[in-house]
Amino acid sequence: MIPRSQLLIVGARIATMADAGLGVIEDAALRVEAGKIVWIGASSKVDDRWRAHADQLIEADGALLTPGLIDCHTHLVFAGHRADEFEARLLGQSYAQIAATGGGIKRSVRDTRAASEQALYEASVGRARALLADGVTTIEIKSGYGLELATERRMLRVARRIGAELGVCVRTSFLGAHTTAPEFAADSDAYIDAVIAMLAPLADEGLIDAVDGYGEHLAFSPPQLTRLFTAARALGLPLRLHADQLSDQYGAALAARFDALSADHLEYANDEGLAAMARAGTVAVLLPGAYYALKETQPPPIARMRALGVRMAVASDVNPGTSPLLSLRLALNMACVLFGLSPTEALRGGTVHAAQALGLAARKGQLSVGMDADLVLWRAQTPAELCYWIGGTLAARVFAGGRELQLAA
Ligand code: DI6
Ligand code: FE
């Protein structure tokens, strides 16, 4: 019997991202059934009858085909923007000074609390579309601009709706522990209790794929995060952490101790923490957009991560304060130029390792039989080009679960 394909792509240079490198197969073909990859091999092996029985047939003419990119760290649901803070920073004010005078995260909290669910969706969906237009098919989206149950819930519902309406995979992280809610003034311990109390209701509504926290002198201490993580783990929720971005808070070690999926930022992470991450399999998520926008000068310890065998992912960190960056591909470029990753490392960081950071490695991030048919056909011939071009529209056609996405103009 001749199999019927949802999609058949022939004549592509396929970077499967399998094994340790790019897994390039020249002049290759890929066949999709019911949203999954069912066959990959040489174009010469494609039976003519397969072509006749394909709902969609694409002759790639040597173009590059990769897994859909995975943006494993974003805060893209929020209302308003903070361009005025960007201007103030250019005039010399620091992120911490702006935060201390009512700006920063708290500013976005005010704007987001005031927005209806529909307004929040409309403000946010265009940012998701921008990511997709540049080759992303899976997006992690955090809450954290509500800091009270109703708005945190609204953010997470909007994140789910973005995934449903755009037809892509969205994974949510509950970031109630982003900063202390204004109602709690300086009593951050009491606020952590309030965050812990939000876990069960939001998890019961199916709104939490992982629990995140912001470990920083501006935010929460290791003992406070330990309390949060203990409560989250008791509910069976996976963990991740904003760790050691602006100072060494022993975040890497804390994340590893709780077998967190990822520890993110890590500019100031220490060696013991990195070694613990390697042992625990906790992925290091690198966020060069925030490093760039804040004009930070200490890059994360990439050489130590390599030496210790810590897996590195790269993400956009889309957020209104420190990383108004709407292209994962640009984040990959920055990871190369600013942090010294090779294009191969950066691309693995936006595919395989990003999938691991989301607990999705069995389904996404590589092209092999049985994996989701999340695919990008690029206006490029080699994988390194995806990290090399700065800007532009390189993604020619994007597929999520075998279905072609209508890309934003
Ligand atoms: N992720 C965050 O959560 C904070 N920095 C970062 O990289 C700040 C977000 C904000 O200023 O709104
Ligand atoms: Fe972040």
Side-chain angles (χ1 to χ4, degrees), residues 73 75 82 95 104-105 108 145 175 178 214 242 245 265 287 290 317 319-322:
H73 180 142
H75 309 245
R82 300 193 341 238
Y95 182 66
I105 295 171
S108 295
Y145 294 117
L175 181 57
H178 200 185
Y214 196 13
H242 284 70
Q245 178 188 7
H265 289 290
L287 303 168
D317 197 16
N319 77 69
T322 62

Side-chain angles (χ1 to χ4, degrees), residues 310-331:
V310 177
R311 286 171 298 187
M312 297 179 279
V314 179
S316 68
D317 197 16
V318 177
N319 77 69
T322 62
S323 191
L325 169 57
L326 296 172
S327 162
L328 179 56
R329 220 170 44 70
L330 183 49

Side-chain angles (χ1 to χ4, degrees), residues 115-122 150 153-155 157-158 161:
S116 69
E117 191 160 321
Q118 180 63 21
L120 198 51
Y121 174 77
E122 284 167 14
R153 175 189 285 125
R154 200 153 72 242
M155 290 185 71
R157 285 168 52 94
V158 166
R161 182 174 162 199

Side-chain angles (χ1 to χ4, degrees), residues 192-397:
I192 286 290
D193 292 336
V195 172
I196 290 171
M198 291 182 225
L199 291 173
L202 294 173
D204 286 348
E205 290 172 45
L207 290 171
I208 304 183
D209 295 323
V211 172
D212 199 342
Y214 196 13
E216 197 48 68
H217 56 85
L218 292 168
F220 299 102
S221 66
Q224 291 171 328
L225 292 164
T226 297
R227 281 206 296 128
L228 171 66
F229 279 5
T230 303
R233 199 162 61 175
L235 294 172
L237 296 167
L239 304 169
R240 21 200 333 192
L241 183 67
H242 284 70
D244 309 325
Q245 178 188 7
L246 304 170
S247 59
D248 184 4
Q249 299 281 316
Y250 300 90
L254 175 68
R257 180 148 35 87
F258 279 89
D259 294 314
L261 288 171
S262 74
D264 305 35
H265 289 290
L266 297 169
E267 276 79 347
Y268 290 83
N270 63 53
D271 232 60
E272 293 94 295
L274 294 177
M277 282 177 61
R279 285 193 299 274
T282 298
V283 176
V285 178
L286 308 175
L287 303 168
Y291 172 91
Y292 164 84
L294 292 178
K295 296 205 240 182
E296 293 294 320
T297 52
Q298 175 156 329
I302 303 297
R304 292 304 299 152
M305 290 180 190
R306 277 190 197 119
L308 291 162
V310 177
R311 286 171 298 187
M312 297 179 279
V314 179
S316 68
D317 197 16
V318 177
N319 77 69
T322 62
S323 191
L325 169 57
L326 296 172
S327 162
L328 179 56
R329 220 170 44 70
L330 183 49
L332 301 184
N333 169 272
M334 288 178 175
C336 294
V337 175
L338 301 176
F339 292 171
L341 266 63
S342 70
T344 297
E345 286 175 318
L347 280 170
R348 289 182 65 77
T351 54
V352 196
H353 293 160
Q356 283 164 355
L358 297 180
L360 294 175
R363 281 171 46 203
K364 295 182 185 292
Q366 297 186 35
L367 301 183
S368 61
V369 170
M371 301 281 254
D372 292 351
D374 295 351
L375 310 166
V376 185
L377 199 58
W378 299 94
R379 292 185 192 93
Q381 272 70 52
T382 69
E385 275 185 84
L386 305 183
C387 300
Y388 154 83
W389 293 108
I390 301 171
T393 47
L394 257 55
R397 308 181 74 164

